[in-house]
Amino acid sequence: MAGALDGRTAVVTGAGRGLGRAIAGRFVAEGATVHAVDLEEALVDAGPFASCTAVDLADPAAETTLTGLADRLGTVDAVAAIAGVVPPWRGVAALDGAEWQKVFTINVWGCAVTLKAFAHGLAASGRGSAVLMASINGYRAHPDQILYSASKHAVVGLTRAAALDLGRTGVRVNALAPGPIATDALKGRVAARHASGGPAPDTAFAALAQETALQRIATEEDVAKAALYLASDLASGTTGAVIPVECGLA
């Protein structure tokens, strides 16, 4: 049976681990030729990809590297800008300027420069689709998550503006807004909070599940399926949208 992305070329940033790896793997399973982009250490066991490009989105040289990849590939049908970072929790009084700049560079400029690099390739496709990584923190907020929330609000604005800009060339731009996902990164943060006096991981994840309509937290595969939808022709009439993937979080 044909896959939803058969014969298509895709680029996924953050493809070496976490949600990026799940999305890249799903694209491969659906027939896409996937070019993985991530930090060098994350690409050691990256997966069955056509190529792997080491990029640190916090490095000013990232734009040159991404543009070089775009030039080599030419036409690109789908780009998923998934790479991102979750900073430590801080209240207003504890905000750090250097940390703020780095997180915005990775989470916001990382999406923007990826769109910039591949805009012409996506337009050449005639069915180009870009999927950006936002978050439920892109439209709601939590105490002590000011920096992360601000960066993801910015990604939502970027998505909506880029959809209007690139829509003139036939390119769709949408974003994913996951809630809590039991990635290795989240498990590590929950374990660290437990070590500092917070609830045990099982208790913390059970509490998160009880806050959702489906009584479970969303999985990496749930997010990968949503990314596949947005990247494929199933979403041919959808652009400028922010799709929640959080099992009906209250």
Side-chain angles (χ1 to χ4, degrees), residues 17-19 22-23 181-184 218-225:
R17 53 195 168 191
L19 292 177
I23 289 167
I181 310 291
T183 60
D184 289 341
T219 65
E220 292 180 348
E221 185 60 21
D222 290 326
V223 179
K225 288 176 182 177

Side-chain angles (χ1 to χ4, degrees), residues 39-86:
L39 295 169
E40 185 173 6
E41 60 268 26
L43 293 171
V44 174
D45 298 311
F49 304 130
S51 74
C52 292
T53 301
V55 174
D56 181 352
L57 291 173
D59 188 333
E63 181 172 357
T64 299
T65 304
L66 289 171
T67 300
L69 176 61
D71 289 344
R72 289 195 299 274
L73 296 180
T75 298
V76 176
D77 303 295
V79 171
I82 309 302
V85 63
V86 180

Side-chain angles (χ1 to χ4, degrees), residues 90-197:
R90 298 185 190 276
V92 173
L95 290 176
D96 178 86
E99 183 179 70
W100 186 280
Q101 294 297 329
K102 181 175 181 179
V103 170
F104 260 73
T105 298
I106 296 171
N107 287 2
V108 187
W109 174 242
C111 287
V113 74
T114 301
L115 283 176
K116 178 182 178 181
F118 293 97
H120 292 303
L122 287 167
S125 165
R127 56 188 180 187
S129 172
V131 182
L132 309 186
M133 181 54 74
S135 165
I136 60 168
N137 286 73
Y139 50 82
R140 60 189 291 180
H142 299 86
D144 299 320
Q145 288 185 326
I146 292 167
L147 171 51
Y148 185 68
S149 296
S151 74
K152 292 304 182 179
H153 272 68
V155 173
V156 170
L158 171 62
T159 299
R160 291 171 175 161
L164 295 173
D165 191 8
L166 297 183
R168 293 174 292 192
T169 65
V171 176
R172 297 182 295 108
V173 183
N174 295 289
L176 298 166
I181 310 291
T183 60
D184 289 341
L186 179 57
K187 291 174 183 176
R189 291 194 296 274
V190 170
R193 288 198 289 271
H194 176 52
S196 300

Side-chain angles (χ1 to χ4, degrees), residues 7-51:
R8 303 195 187 190
T9 299
V11 174
V12 180
T13 73
R17 53 195 168 191
L19 292 177
R21 182 166 185 148
I23 289 167
R26 186 74 188 198
F27 284 9
V28 170
E30 293 290 336
T33 298
V34 174
H35 298 269
V37 175
D38 209 329
L39 295 169
E40 185 173 6
E41 60 268 26
L43 293 171
V44 174
D45 298 311
F49 304 130
S51 74

